[in-house]
Amino acid sequence: MTAHRVARLPKDIFNDDMVFIRAVRKGISGQVVRETVELLGGHQQLVAELAGTTPGNLHRIYKKHALGKTESEGILDLLRLFAYAATTFDSDDIVREWFGSEIPALSGTRPIDLMDTFQGRAVVRDVLSRIEHGEFS
């Protein structure tokens, strides 16, 4: 499963800002939340935080027809970051491994530990961009 295939998200959601914004406004389904947890190889705590709940209550979120804008935007931004990383590394498995590894460019912090905030995801996105352009290996 790749980020583009999660719960039949619109095809261009991560490449077209207007498609992304419409999806945020509509609200993502609980199925997208469930598949995000699966795509990340777990990390229920992170996804629960972004969904505005606790890991123990994720099962309730999975049944929702649509989350609110704030929750939807956080999870979709996380998925967009995963898709970008998958393009950079050419492998979902490598992305999951990299997300869970201590990265020197992040002062030894694991990328996954920064993804609960928009700014944290922006910092990770910046490091991925530098990797993509050959500044890091």
Side-chain angles (χ1 to χ4, degrees):
M1 171 188 344
T2 65
H4 288 91
R5 293 188 185 153
V6 169
R8 294 179 223 81
L9 291 173
K11 180 183 175 193
D12 293 330
I13 192 165
F14 303 128
N15 301 320
D16 184 325
D17 290 337
M18 298 312 292
V19 173
F20 186 91
I21 290 166
R22 281 192 295 274
V24 166
R25 288 178 175 160
K26 179 180 176 186
I28 61 169
S29 71
Q31 183 62 33
V32 171
V33 177
R34 178 191 303 266
E35 291 181 22
T36 300
V37 170
E38 293 170 10
L39 181 67
L40 293 175
H43 297 290
Q44 293 166 322
Q45 179 67 40
L46 170 62
V47 177
E49 281 184 44
L50 292 174
T53 191
T54 63
N57 286 325
L58 268 175
H59 68 281
R60 292 184 179 143
I61 297 294
Y62 295 159
K63 297 174 186 175
K64 285 194 168 203
H65 176 69
L67 275 67
K69 282 196 293 189
T70 301
E71 296 82 7
S72 295
E73 187 168 36
I75 291 172
L76 286 173
D77 190 48
L78 174 62
L79 287 169
R80 178 170 47 189
L81 181 57
F82 189 97
Y84 179 45
T87 299
T88 302
F89 294 121
D90 286 328
S91 166
D92 288 358
D93 291 333
I94 292 172
V95 172
R96 283 187 281 273
E97 183 180 332
W98 189 81
F99 278 6
S101 299
E102 294 177 354
I103 305 299
L106 296 171
S107 302
T109 303
R110 299 179 325 154
I112 201 75
D113 294 331
L114 298 172
M115 294 185 194
D116 61 326
T117 66
F118 178 81
Q119 189 60 40
R121 290 187 301 274
V123 168
V124 172
R125 195 172 280 113
D126 180 60
V127 169
L128 284 167
S129 176
R130 290 190 269 160
I131 290 170
E132 186 177 40
H133 292 97
E135 291 183 38
F136 302 122
S137 57

